Amino acid sequence: MKNTKIHVDVDALKARHVLLKEFRYELRPVVRGYNMRTLYVNVSSNEIKEKAVSEEMKQKFTGGKGFGLKLLWDAISDTTRWNDPENEINIAMGPICGNTNYPGSGKSLVVSISPLTDIPIDSNVGGYFGPYLKFSGFDAIEIQGKAERDVIVYVDGNQGLVRIFEAPGEAVDSHILAEQMVELFAANELEKMHISTVSAGRGAEHALIGCLNFSFYDRRRKVSRLKQAGRGGIGTVLRDKKIKAVVVKYSGLSGKSNNPVDLDKLQQTGLKLHKEIIALDDQQCRMRQIGTAHLVEIMDEYDLLPTHNFKFGRHVKTPKINSHAFYDLITHGLPDGCWFGCTMACAKAADGFRLRTGPYKGQRVTVDGPEYETVGGCGSNIGVFDARAVMEINFYCDTYGLDTISFGTMTAFIMECWEKRVLNAERTGGLIMRWGNWKAALELMHQIARGEGFGLIAGLGTRKMKQYFVEHFGADPQLMQDIGCECKGLEYSQYVSKESLAQQGGYSMALKGPQHDEAWLIFMDMVNNQIPTFEDKAEALHYFPMFRTWFGLQGLCKLPWNDVEPADNAQTSEPAKVPEHVQNYVDIYNAITGGNLDKQALILQSERVYNFQKVLCMRLGRGRRIDDIPPFRMVGPVTTQEYKSREDRYDQQLREKVGVDPAGKSTKTKLKILRRYREEQYQHLLDAVYKRKGWTPEGVPTPEHLRKIGMDLPEVLAVVERHLR
Amino acid sequence: MKYLKTYDEKCIGCNQCMTACAMAFFKEDNPAKSAIQVVALPDGGFHLVVCDQKYRKCVDECPTQAISINRQGVVMINKKLCIGCFACVAVCPIDAMRRCDGLENPFKCVACGVCVKGCPTQAIEIVTEE
């Protein structure tokens, strides 16, 4: 089924453009994965300049998220908040980024002070923008200031040209805007593939959960597709800066664009993984068939699929939203990589999908996804067991520039508040927020996009809603804290962590807020019992966050690391680490940069940036132990209903771990005892992990540790000293 | 469809076809740069590996649509569009899409027939089938 055609009147759009600034720069090839310069753009003053990357910056911060955070640190003050002009949106790549050989090498890392958390958020996103910007000559783009009127920032990487211009005519919603950008800047059909756009949407103008869309033009579908820097509200920051789009155009990509030291080694390592994926993916994760949505039925089977605001971990109707349900909706047989050379090809999409609600009702569109997190958040967690409804929520979240994870988790919170009669039709302006009411969920989203009604309250995100419901609706503050699934202000991503203490830590200690990209330890901990002691868990909560941070320093995707495994991986000494793939990363890093990295030095690169980010949170008044405490819903049963749903498990824990005989005790009493026990366990875990990370019991990195890892920069030590006093 | 048809049983392993191919396309007598490969089998025989222009998995896999089928039914690589990811090499079920150290792009048999003349035993021939 064909999509509804988007008509773009290029001349009409161009006629309204007002050039504010033009900047020319010298074109230079990338050398061994680095440009050694970044691009600075200020949309208040229209200043554009390039900044040199020093050897020290490269050594200490490596690239990607490291560069983004370093630039952000230097740009802000201790009191900068998300909507201050000095806040930045920094998009950085990393030395490995943009190679076309190793699957998953096209990621951009976006850093900004988050409107949800008031600390730096970092988001890892596909699409062509990052690699094209890199080959245009920059290791990062740093965007500061606030424009007076809507602007577009345009980088032409072949002409060495950067422009800021007013763009009043362009759409705000991403699926239209991205099409307008390819029509505006591509001279012919082939060049459309050389354009990538960063944008948000109307939702991001009225909600703090705004995301960024990074486009990539799909030659076969002939449509601009969208990948999301979803977490933490960076789309909100973009629209607050009155930026409609940041666009890059670059022609000339090749296998040698990074000018690697050892192209043969890079090709060999990439080809080895390509072959592994082709041979094994069908029996392992089926990423090439259905993408991350394959996880839905697995999570349901292990009681981990968030259902009804994380109350439960499975549902009898899950087959209606599992991978097979979505398989019937998506288009098959296309090389769905979000960057060239990714044979994992998990960026699935439905085409000609007919919308049933909202401003584009009746139109047929391409929907990117859904990914697992979207199915969990906008499906089971809000009780929607309807694949087409999930698809539509996915589409509108993307084009409105809203994070599907935050939208799902906060809507789940709203629906539980409805169930518990904190909310009613009067308070929601008529929205019936019952479990499973997908039409109401979509109408809530359309309200956000229009800046109307209850949508404006929902758009504040879970943390601010808790407060609002207490103040305006007389809700019980303890209940709000227990069931509002956020930590540090960021909504949880979509896994039930109740029965895995290690994952509770993996979520709640994650620097940016509870996203699973630092650690996903549920199987190691809960299913396989490989990390039974606090020390074991602490070691895992050291190693995996450090290892995974490295993807963000390099411009890599995490998925090809362990969503396909070598056939003999289970026979290795540490299967959870996938040792052969870690060696692949060492090999491609050295092949591109000419470095001499090994597995230990890889962790050290991450540890420096990780601790820097931690100290940056502290500098902004957060990063304290209290900020790492999860809501109880993510730790154990809040209600008697939840306790009863897993009564045998909980009773057994009382008997065997707590030493209390549950017989004859009321559920309420058992709940109380279990809660005390689990909260204590979590505190012990914090102690163990902080110690392993080289931090004080308050979560402050010690000067000795910072010296040991080579992150003893004077400005970093100054913040730490302030907190140790 | 035009393709290079092979007769393993006639092959004597002289490698003349590989020389002819590598010389024609890369101007060096390097078997690694030949689009046809002579593989010695444990039983003393030989197996000829070359694109039969039939499976075409590479065409579907190529992210830039650099690989297409020409009018004669031959699978061709457009080097201007190829970004050297080698996904085509991985997906080829008969290992006929090739990669060689020192080269930026993959290469394959284009059914030109230059190797046929060099073969002393008629173990290969260019065939056109409907």
Side-chain angles (χ1 to χ4, degrees):
Chain A
M1 208 64 85
K2 276 191 177 167
N3 287 351
T4 305
K5 190 167 169 48
I6 294 171
H7 178 71
V8 181
D9 187 341
V10 171
D11 294 335
L13 291 175
K14 273 187 180 167
R16 298 179 69 191
H17 289 171
V18 179
L19 184 65
L20 300 176
K21 179 77 180 186
E22 184 168 296
F23 170 81
R24 291 195 175 266
Y25 65 93
E26 186 195 341
L27 294 174
R28 292 200 299 258
V30 177
V31 178
R32 300 182 174 193
Y34 284 96
N35 288 286
M36 297 306 281
R37 62 177 171 177
T38 60
L39 178 64
Y40 173 85
V41 176
N42 190 312
V43 293
S44 292
S45 63
N46 294 320
E47 182 188 8
I48 306 175
K49 63 182 176 185
E50 57 178 72
K51 288 184 179 177
V53 170
S54 69
E55 203 53 44
E56 191 198 22
M57 179 164 158
K58 182 175 149 184
Q59 292 306 321
K60 298 282 186 202
F61 297 94
T62 305
K65 177 168 115 172
F67 280 13
L69 288 166
K70 158 73 178 153
L71 294 169
L72 183 67
W73 178 298
D74 292 347
I76 59 169
S77 75
D78 295 2
T79 55
T80 300
R81 289 294 174 256
W82 71 275
N83 53 357
D84 289 328
E86 65 262 32
N87 188 21
E88 297 189 324
I89 296 173
N90 296 336
I91 305 170
M93 285 65 76
I96 290 178
C97 178
N99 86 74
T100 57
N101 296 109
Y102 200 81
S105 292
K107 293 297 195 119
S108 307
L109 282 298
V110 196
V111 168
S112 188
I113 295 178
S114 160
L116 290 166
T117 63
D118 291 326
I119 53 172
I121 187 76
D122 59 277
S123 205
N124 175 316
V125 56
Y128 298 167
F129 184 89
Y132 284 170
L133 183 73
K134 182 178 180 183
F135 301 134
S136 295
F138 302 102
D139 295 324
I141 183 170
E142 178 186 9
I143 303 170
Q144 200 175 33
K146 284 167 98 159
E148 277 178 34
R149 285 179 283 273
D150 279 336
V151 296
I152 287 175
V153 177
Y154 173 66
V155 180
D156 188 316
N158 297 102
Q159 292 191 55
L161 174 76
V162 185
R163 283 195 183 122
I164 306 173
F165 58 88
E166 282 180 13
E170 279 76 359
V172 175
D173 289 349
S174 278
H175 82 288
I176 299 175
L177 180 62
E179 289 301 323
Q180 290 172 331
M181 293 303 104
V182 293
E183 295 297 334
L184 266 178
F185 294 112
N188 52 52
E189 182 65 24
L190 182 61
E191 273 197 358
K192 289 182 179 177
M193 202 169 56
H194 304 157
I195 311 273
S196 180
T197 298
V198 177
S199 58
R202 280 184 282 172
E205 295 175 348
H206 308 293
L208 302 183
I209 60 164
C211 74
L212 295 179
N213 288 296
F214 280 53
S215 78
F216 64 108
Y217 188 77
D218 188 322
R219 278 197 82 191
R220 285 176 170 85
R221 290 180 165 95
K222 299 196 185 306
V223 66
S224 287
R225 298 183 49 197
L226 305 171
K227 297 299 289 182
Q228 291 72 36
R231 310 295 346 253
I234 313 176
T236 308
V237 181
L238 188 85
R239 290 306 294 140
D240 184 62
K241 291 184 178 304
K242 285 213 161 48
I243 298 171
K244 266 189 183 165
V246 186
V247 185
V248 65
K249 178 177 178 183
Y250 175 77
S251 304
L253 177 73
S254 82
K256 287 202 296 196
S257 290
N258 268 312
N259 275 317
V261 172
D262 188 347
L263 183 64
D264 289 337
K265 183 72 182 175
L266 180 62
Q267 288 180 358
Q268 289 159 9
T269 314
L271 185 53
K272 184 177 70 159
L273 188 62
H274 285 318
K275 287 186 172 173
E276 204 176 294
I277 291 170
I278 302 290
L280 302 174
D281 180 61
D282 281 352
Q283 302 118 58
Q284 293 185 7
C285 292
R286 295 162 53 231
M287 296 290 267
R288 284 168 62 84
Q289 293 176 34
I290 189 63
T292 57
H294 78 275
L295 285 167
V296 177
E297 49 266 41
I298 298 172
M299 292 306 132
D300 186 80
E301 188 188 334
Y302 284 95
D303 209 4
L304 296 167
L305 182 72
T307 305
H308 293 183
N309 195 27
F310 298 96
K311 273 200 248 181
F312 314 113
R314 59 167 58 123
H315 198 280
V316 65
K317 289 185 183 168
T318 297
K320 289 180 186 291
I321 55 164
N322 69 11
S323 69
H324 305 287
F326 289 107
Y327 190 88
D328 294 339
L329 295 175
I330 66 164
T331 309
H332 300 282
L334 299 176
D336 284 321
C338 71
W339 175 241
F340 301 106
C342 186
T343 37
M344 187 153 260
C346 72
K348 299 302 167 197
D351 298 293
F353 182 83
R354 195 168 160 276
L355 299 167
R356 292 182 284 179
T357 72
Y360 308 110
K361 183 178 176 178
Q363 295 188 14
R364 291 187 183 275
V365 294
T366 291
V367 188
D368 272 279
E371 298 197 36
Y372 165 75
E373 297 291 326
T374 304
V375 183
C378 303
S380 53
N381 219 3
I382 60 173
V384 170
F385 295 93
D386 176 331
R388 295 191 74 88
V390 173
M391 274 281 187
E392 182 145 346
I393 296 173
N394 193 158
F395 171 79
Y396 273 113
C397 270
D398 291 353
T399 198
Y400 284 159
L402 296 171
D403 172 21
T404 57
I405 297 178
S406 277
F407 182 80
T409 298
M410 84 182 198
T411 304
F413 170 66
I414 289 169
M415 288 184 168
E416 191 170 353
C417 286
W418 178 278
E419 183 186 63
K420 294 195 164 35
R421 298 173 195 273
V422 172
L423 293 175
N424 53 42
E426 194 188 329
R427 289 171 176 173
T428 63
L431 293 175
I432 310 297
M433 298 305 296
R434 274 196 206 107
W435 299 121
N437 189 351
W438 60 268
K439 284 182 183 166
L442 271 160
E443 182 49 29
L444 179 69
M445 202 190 321
H446 298 316
Q447 285 188 1
I448 291 175
R450 295 194 300 264
E452 283 177 14
F454 189 65
L456 285 174
I457 296 166
L460 296 171
T462 305
R463 175 167 281 196
K464 292 190 173 69
M465 260 195 290
K466 289 176 180 177
Q467 207 180 330
Y468 189 93
F469 294 171
V470 170
E471 285 171 12
H472 293 81
F473 304 148
D476 172 9
Q478 185 62 52
L479 179 70
M480 293 294 96
Q481 175 51 29
D482 284 350
I483 66 170
C485 294
E486 56 83 19
C487 183
K488 301 180 177 67
L490 185 71
E491 283 77 13
Y492 274 77
S493 69
Q494 309 301 336
Y495 299 96
V496 171
S497 60
K498 278 178 204 168
E499 316 311 337
S500 165
L501 179 59
Q503 187 57 31
Q504 292 161 25
Y507 263 142
S508 310
M509 291 180 218
L511 292 179
K512 63 164 153 281
Q515 172 71 2
H516 55 283
D517 65 336
E518 277 200 16
W520 198 93
L521 302 172
I522 299 181
F523 281 175
M524 268 185 100
D525 189 28
M526 175 186 119
V527 180
N528 300 328
N529 200 25
Q530 290 164 322
I531 44 175
T533 68
F534 283 110
E535 286 68 30
D536 295 334
K537 293 185 206 309
E539 183 56 36
L541 282 167
H542 169 71
Y543 176 80
F544 288 102
M546 294 311 157
F547 176 66
R548 285 162 165 252
T549 290
W550 198 76
F551 295 127
L553 306 185
Q554 300 295 338
L556 288 168
C557 175
K558 165 264 167 192
L559 299 176
W561 161 54
N562 70 349
D563 281 68
V564 63
E565 291 176 353
D568 62 355
N569 188 57
Q571 282 80 54
T572 60
S573 58
E574 294 179 293
K577 292 184 179 177
V578 197
E580 185 180 323
H581 287 183
V582 180
Q583 187 60 45
N584 286 352
Y585 289 117
V586 168
D587 290 345
I588 61 170
Y589 174 88
N590 290 337
I592 290 173
T593 66
N596 190 25
L597 198 78
D598 59 24
K599 288 182 178 180
Q600 287 73 39
L602 179 158
I603 296 297
L604 185 60
Q605 284 187 331
S606 292
E607 223 175 339
R608 289 189 186 121
V609 174
Y610 192 91
N611 279 272
F612 182 81
Q613 185 171 353
K614 169 76 173 172
V615 178
L616 181 48
C617 294
M618 290 162 44
R619 187 185 159 205
L620 292 166
R622 303 295 174 93
R624 303 155 299 185
R625 186 175 174 116
I626 195 176
D627 296 312
D628 288 352
I629 305 298
F632 194 69
R633 175 57 58 76
M634 302 308 287
V635 175
V638 171
T639 63
T640 51
Q641 180 197 29
E642 281 168 271
Y643 192 102
K644 282 181 179 160
S645 76
R646 291 176 178 169
E647 192 159 28
D648 291 347
R649 175 193 281 270
Y650 296 142
D651 280 356
Q652 188 185 356
Q653 191 168 48
L654 288 182
R655 262 193 310 273
E656 293 175 6
K657 302 273 172 138
V658 191
V660 170
D661 184 3
K665 291 193 171 58
S666 72
T667 308
K668 249 187 167 169
T669 305
K670 290 193 289 187
L671 198 64
K672 212 169 152 187
I673 298 167
L674 186 73
R675 179 169 182 147
R676 195 183 313 131
Y677 171 74
R678 288 197 173 195
E679 285 177 339
E680 280 170 11
Q681 293 283 300
Y682 184 79
Q683 292 293 340
H684 290 319
L685 181 75
L686 274 184
D687 289 336
V689 175
Y690 286 174
K691 191 177 166 199
R692 176 63 187 88
K693 285 187 171 169
W695 299 352
T696 70
E698 282 307 303
V700 181
T702 63
E704 299 75 45
H705 181 66
L706 292 171
R707 269 191 281 277
K708 196 178 114 197
I709 61 173
M711 192 33 83
D712 50 340
L713 300 170
E715 63 270 32
V716 173
L717 289 174
V719 173
V720 165
E721 299 290 354
R722 213 160 71 203
H723 282 78
L724 289 173
R725 248 182 262 138
Chain B
M1 185 182 75
K2 184 180 165 192
Y3 72 103
L4 187 74
K5 194 169 182 180
T6 58
Y7 303 90
D8 283 357
E9 67 281 6
K10 292 185 188 174
C11 179
I12 55 168
C14 71
N15 296 350
Q16 285 300 315
C17 54
M18 292 205 282
T19 298
C21 183
M23 287 301 287
F25 290 92
F26 296 99
K27 299 192 171 38
E28 58 179 287
D29 185 5
N30 179 355
K33 290 185 177 174
S34 168
I36 180 168
Q37 292 289 310
V38 180
V39 181
L41 300 173
D43 66 2
F46 298 94
H47 173 52
L48 294 163
V49 175
V50 69
C51 181
D52 59 9
Q53 320 295 344
K54 198 171 71 187
Y55 289 101
R56 298 177 177 179
K57 287 200 168 194
C58 53
V59 177
D60 292 336
E61 193 70 30
C62 178
T64 62
Q65 292 188 307
I67 308 177
S68 59
I69 299 153
N70 73 9
R71 280 186 199 161
Q72 293 173 302
V74 180
V75 176
M76 304 292 288
I77 303 172
N78 180 345
K79 279 195 181 172
K80 280 186 186 160
L81 287 177
C82 175
I83 44 87
C85 70
F86 298 97
C88 52
V89 176
V91 83
C92 179
I94 57 169
D95 291 334
M97 187 67 85
R98 312 284 314 161
R99 178 200 161 268
C100 175
D101 279 358
L103 297 179
E104 208 181 315
N105 303 108
F107 60 96
K108 67 178 292 298
C109 174
V110 294
C112 73
V114 72
C115 54
V116 175
K117 287 174 219 150
C119 179
T121 61
Q122 288 83 49
I124 40 181
E125 64 169 332
I126 292 289
V127 174
T128 304
E129 278 176 10
E130 281 309 306

